[in-house]
Structure formats: structure tokens, C-alpha cells
Amino acid sequence: MGIFGRKTTTPAPAAAQAATGPDLTALTGDYTIDPAHSTIGFVARHAMVTNVKGGFEDFTGTLHLDGADPAQSTAEIDVQMASIETGNADRDGHLKSSDFFKIEEFPTMTFRSTKAEALGGDEFRITGDLSLLGVTKPLTIDLEFNGSATDPFGNERVGFEGKAEILRSEWGLTWNAALETGGVLVSDKIKLVFDISAIKQA
């Protein structure tokens, strides 16, 4: 995912460089997402009055970052649907059932990038194919670069936050229940949230 490229035309004074951020070409390389320090989550509206938050505990992913040419960057993520966690065992069980994710038949959700863009500053966008319940549709994620650092163990890390919105019905997630006061139990619109730390490979 080409989230670390900056377009430069002519050399800029030091003050201008500080305003736009450092040259991130050195971050070019292959990375592995660190699930212990990353989050892939979601937010759904419940009963029309409150938000329920959840996430996935088991996922893997790789990135290829190209700081010189963001369009050449890529991302792949695989999520194990049985690892869904919302803080309520009964709700988690329902989400794993045939009403929702059908995890016995469709154990994995995947994302494969098809396009990456630098929008300016620390803002980036990645588009790809999200496959869930046997349905593949495009998903666009807006990203914010959070920085890079070397941790105490010598790992070179990059971090970013992302967000997106989907209509779950487009992937076949249509279960719902009507409310006596009007509306439905679970919103069709789902907010996706990402907080990713990735380690550069040698």
C-alpha cells in the first residue's frame, strides 16, 4: 500500500521540508503486519440508538511500500472470522452462525489491494477487493500515516490508521430484526477501523 510516497519537484529549504515531512523513500520495502500491536475493527449501530464495537483477534498481512512511486505499493490481509470479538459471548456466537458470517463455510475474509494513492501530507488512500461470504467487492480505505521508528528490539516499524464504510448487505449479510418502534436491530452501514503497525523485513 503506497502510503509513504511524497511528490517532490525541486529541492526545498529546510523549513519547507519540515512542514511537509521527511523524505520517506528509505521506507521502501516489504513489511509484515504485527497483529500484537494492530487492530482490525468495526462499529455497527444497534437498535438505532447506540454503537457496538468489535474486532478480530487473528489476522495476518503483508505490505509492499514504495516511497518513490506509491502506485507500485500493495497490501494483503487475511482475517480468521472465528476470531471475532465484541465483548459478549452470545453476540459473538450469533455473528459466527449462519445468520451472519457462516464461519464453517467461509472461515476467512481477505483484502487484496488494486490501487494506492498519495493524497498529500500524511493522507493516503488504498483501494482493493474485499472477499467475504464468497462475495468480492471493491473497498476503499482512507489512511493517515502515523510515523516510523526502530523499536528496542531493532525492528523497523511503520504505523498508520485507516477508516472505511461499507453496506454489509452488499456482501450478503442481510439478517435483521424489526423494532416495534420502527427501524431495525442492526444497521446496514458498518464502519471499519484499522490501526496498523508493520515490521520491515530484512
Side-chain angles (χ1 to χ4, degrees):
M1 81 185 46
I3 62 172
F4 305 114
R6 298 289 202 284
K7 293 184 178 180
T8 57
T9 52
T10 57
Q17 290 180 351
T20 58
D23 179 4
L24 299 177
T25 304
L27 297 179
T28 295
D30 295 316
Y31 292 76
T32 299
I33 293 176
D34 175 11
H37 298 95
S38 301
T39 301
I40 295 177
F42 59 87
V43 182
R45 198 75 170 164
H46 180 262
M48 311 294 290
V49 298
T50 190
N51 291 320
V52 170
K53 299 179 181 179
F56 299 93
E57 302 294 315
D58 185 2
F59 55 88
T60 58
T62 59
L63 316 174
H64 173 72
L65 307 181
D66 192 325
D69 185 0
Q72 300 303 312
S73 300
T74 59
E76 296 186 359
I77 299 176
D78 296 281
V79 178
Q80 301 305 312
M81 301 307 291
S83 71
I84 194 167
E85 172 63 51
T86 67
N88 182 284
D90 289 339
R91 180 167 56 222
D92 294 345
H94 191 197
L95 289 171
K96 295 174 187 180
S97 75
S98 59
D99 283 342
F100 285 95
F101 291 122
K102 306 176 184 178
I103 65 168
E104 297 297 331
E105 184 178 359
F106 302 102
T108 307
M109 174 174 63
T110 66
F111 176 80
R112 301 290 184 264
S113 67
T114 57
K115 182 180 180 181
E117 305 168 84
L119 304 181
D122 289 333
E123 304 299 321
F124 303 86
R125 179 170 293 150
I126 187 166
T127 301
D129 293 325
L130 179 67
S131 297
L132 174 65
L133 291 174
V135 178
T136 299
K137 288 186 173 293
L139 172 67
T140 296
I141 304 170
D142 290 325
L143 299 165
E144 180 178 358
F145 174 54
N146 281 344
S148 62
T150 300
D151 69 23
F153 306 101
N155 298 311
E156 295 182 55
R157 293 178 178 267
V158 294
F160 59 91
E161 296 178 61
K163 60 183 179 180
E165 290 187 353
I166 65 170
L167 297 178
R168 62 186 179 92
S169 58
E170 294 185 351
W171 278 266
L173 290 164
T174 57
W175 184 92
N176 225 322
L179 301 176
E180 291 184 5
T181 53
V184 291
L185 186 64
V186 184
S187 62
D188 190 22
K189 180 187 291 186
I190 305 296
K191 297 178 182 179
L192 305 179
V193 292
F194 308 88
D195 200 342
I196 300 297
S197 177
I199 299 173
K200 192 173 187 179
Q201 301 305 294

